[in-house]
Amino acid sequence: MKNAFMAAIFLLFVSTTGFADDFLTAAGSLQLRGIVPLNSNSATELPTLLGRFKLDTLPSNWHLHTWLEGGWDGTVDLPARDHAVLRNLENVYQSNTPFIEIKELYGAYETDLFEIRAGVQRFAWGRLDEYPINDLLNPWDYTQFIRKPLEDRKIGVPSLFARLGKDDWSLEAVWVPLHVPYRLPLPGERWSGITGTTALAALPGAKIDSNEPELSPRTLKNSSGGVRLRHAGTLDWGVNFFHGYDPRPVFKTTALVITPINGVLVIDPGYVPDFHKITSVGVDAATVAGEWSLRGEASYTMGRYFNSRLELWGYPSTPEPGRTALNPIEHKSDALEYGIGIDYRLFEDCLLTLQGQQSVILDRAEAMFARQFETILWGNVKTGWMNQKLETNLNFAYNPEHRDYMAKANAIYVFTDSWKGGITAVIFAGDAQSVFGRFSRNDQVEAELVYSW
């Protein structure tokens, strides 16, 4: 990672020299964002300043690509627990601010028949928006999960990519030699949601000590990889195979330990992130018919782990100092997931998107899970006004099993080619352990100002 970081800094320096335009293109942006929480019980959040920088060599067979992000993260609890500026690829809990992150940094060689890329990369194997089923190669950053778009959630992984293509056919293969974990917010941070530690954190003088999990040894045995066969045409379809670490969070329990130290209740919540390998076989397809476009994907996953309902974890109703053993909460099962999306252009500057998807736990223990199915129905209306100077989005997502939902509306106005600003309002509702209800304290209005070059 240190060498990759130094290489990125070198590229930034080169891009500022007088001859950079001869072989490099550079683009970037600065975003200032602030929120007003609508719930008095919500965790606080300071303004966030996010910078992005992209650097590419001009088109040729050889290509070098860099995407860096950095700035001040206002969602991090202060004082920040971590003092390192560079986000790493080893820790689940990273509360550093200011920060720098290497989103992508790779070299590539490409011809009409063959392409190979090596370095830190992100991939897009899936057809659905927001929650793609077959997109398993990159772990996700859940520290601001709901409010971030899909592309921003993905964590770049050191990987080797190869593609063979002929006419309408292509075969892609990806190897990820190192296990890179997903990222989670600390219990007291705004986007941690409602978890088993929520009641504990409310105890007077409580301090939650989230333990960093131990990753598997970084050996060839613990690498991940996937293969994708794709055919482009009137019906664009693909077949995907993945074997590696599940990028979705799951936890294992140990024991709840509450220790009074100098008037502070230091609490080990008794659970840590866990990691398991899965094997997934999936298909996807997309087609366009006039003003309609249809997208769909499905997968069958073997050996996925799920957590039981929170009330079965074994937390005491009245926490007291001492040690309380917790119940095993992981359940292994095959799972089936499927979904379909529809896009329809209502008029020239207005696009309607409807999407539905469902996951099924096939070997479901009745006592452990409230539902065998989890469904997400999602709709969005995107409209441009005033010759695309103003763009509005109305977004609604619903989980019928728990009757929870998220509603979001935003408007962005383009002042000049470089400046734009917008406002977003979002509300959540539902029970404490549902998909959206766990963020029910996070209703907010958000304003942003963006400068791009």
Side-chain angles (χ1 to χ4, degrees):
M1 281 298 297
K2 181 178 180 181
N3 291 337
F5 178 63
M6 295 305 296
I9 296 299
F10 171 73
L11 289 173
L12 288 173
F13 171 76
V14 169
S15 70
T16 64
T17 62
F19 58 86
D21 291 341
D22 295 336
F23 66 98
L24 293 173
T25 62
S29 66
L30 284 174
Q31 177 195 58
L32 178 63
R33 181 178 64 84
I35 68 109
V36 177
L38 303 181
N39 190 319
S40 59
N41 293 324
S42 173
T44 58
E45 178 178 335
L46 297 173
T48 291
L49 179 64
L50 176 66
R52 291 176 173 166
F53 185 84
K54 297 180 183 179
L55 189 69
D56 290 272
T57 56
L58 294 177
S60 67
N61 293 119
W62 291 97
H63 179 66
L64 186 63
H65 170 75
T66 304
W67 181 334
L68 302 179
E69 287 189 356
W72 177 270
D73 186 351
T75 67
V76 171
D77 262 353
L78 294 178
R81 189 177 75 171
D82 303 320
H83 301 291
V85 174
L86 183 64
R87 286 182 176 168
N88 64 59
L89 301 178
E90 300 174 356
N91 296 111
V92 171
Y93 299 106
Q94 299 189 48
S95 64
N96 42 344
T97 190
F99 74 94
I100 294 175
E101 180 176 1
I102 300 174
K103 303 292 284 188
E104 297 174 348
L105 178 60
Y106 61 79
Y109 178 77
E110 181 178 5
T111 67
D112 292 338
L113 178 64
F114 177 75
E115 179 185 7
I116 187 168
R117 299 198 305 254
V120 178
Q121 303 178 72
R122 294 183 295 174
F123 304 94
W125 285 9
R127 304 284 183 172
L128 298 181
D129 295 327
E130 297 298 324
Y131 315 104
I133 291 168
N134 289 296
D135 212 349
L136 301 171
L137 291 163
N138 294 96
W140 282 8
D141 184 344
Y142 290 88
T143 54
Q144 299 180 46
F145 171 54
I146 290 293
R147 66 156 301 276
K148 276 188 174 183
L150 173 62
E151 183 183 41
D152 292 345
R153 295 178 213 151
K154 292 183 180 181
I155 300 171
V157 292
S159 51
L160 181 65
F161 167 86
R163 177 188 60 84
L164 287 172
K166 180 67 174 178
D167 298 327
D168 295 332
W169 293 90
S170 65
L171 179 66
E172 300 177 358
V174 176
W175 177 49
V176 183
L178 303 179
H179 175 211
V180 178
Y182 45 79
R183 293 185 193 141
L184 299 175
L186 291 169
E189 293 176 346
R190 180 170 175 79
W191 292 100
S192 63
I194 298 173
T195 66
T197 61
T198 302
L200 300 174
L203 294 175
K207 176 185 177 183
I208 306 296
D209 187 12
S210 295
N211 295 317
E212 191 67 33
E214 184 177 346
L215 299 184
S216 303
R218 294 194 160 181
T219 62
L220 184 62
K221 177 183 176 182
N222 293 317
S223 61
S224 300
V227 178
R228 173 174 168 84
L229 176 66
R230 179 179 176 183
H231 180 266
T234 303
L235 178 66
D236 190 329
W237 58 269
V239 179
N240 312 286
F241 173 83
F242 171 82
H243 179 71
Y245 283 97
D246 190 350
R248 304 184 189 189
V250 68
F251 301 93
K252 65 179 178 182
T253 48
T254 53
L256 169 66
V257 180
I258 302 178
T259 307
I261 300 177
N262 298 326
V264 176
L265 289 178
V266 179
I267 301 175
D268 178 346
Y271 66 84
V272 294
D274 204 8
F275 307 98
H276 302 279
K277 280 197 167 185
I278 58 173
T279 300
S280 178
V281 179
V283 295
D284 61 75
T287 189
V288 176
E291 298 295 325
W292 297 85
S293 65
L294 303 176
R295 301 167 283 111
E297 57 179 307
S299 72
Y300 185 92
T301 303
M302 291 158 273
R304 173 162 279 163
Y305 280 74
F306 300 87
N307 285 141
S308 63
R309 292 182 290 122
L310 181 59
E311 54 266 33
L312 301 178
W313 289 26
Y315 282 109
S317 56
T318 305
E320 295 179 350
R323 185 181 189 277
T324 303
L326 300 178
N327 301 322
I329 61 171
E330 291 183 298
H331 177 69
K332 184 179 181 181
S333 172
D334 291 356
L336 178 65
E337 295 182 88
Y338 43 85
I340 188 170
I342 301 171
D343 303 305
Y344 179 68
R345 191 163 297 281
L346 296 174
F347 49 88
E348 183 178 359
D349 295 325
C350 182
L351 181 68
L352 170 67
T353 298
L354 298 174
Q355 185 171 291
Q357 64 188 93
Q358 194 169 66
S359 59
V360 185
I361 304 174
L362 296 178
D363 181 18
R364 170 178 171 255
E366 291 287 339
M368 293 186 69
F369 302 98
R371 302 287 189 275
Q372 182 177 12
F373 299 87
E374 284 289 354
T375 307
I376 296 179
L377 304 175
W378 179 75
N380 184 74
V381 179
K382 180 179 179 180
T383 309
W385 310 90
M386 302 167 58
N387 197 26
Q388 300 299 321
K389 281 285 189 180
L390 176 66
E391 181 182 291
T392 59
N393 281 272
L394 295 176
N395 187 304
F396 185 80
Y398 180 61
N399 172 225
E401 284 81 13
H402 297 274
R403 298 181 180 178
D404 60 309
Y405 67 85
M406 175 189 71
K408 182 166 62 174
N410 77 305
I412 297 176
Y413 186 81
V414 179
F415 300 103
T416 68
D417 290 341
S418 298
W419 290 94
K420 64 180 180 180
I423 188 169
T424 301
V426 59
I427 60 173
F428 305 91
D431 67 68
Q433 294 306 305
S434 59
V435 177
F436 304 110
R438 57 199 169 119
F439 299 109
S440 56
R441 299 178 303 177
N442 283 26
D443 297 351
Q444 67 179 39
V445 175
E446 171 184 323
E448 65 175 349
L449 182 64
V450 182
Y451 174 74
S452 304
W453 67 88

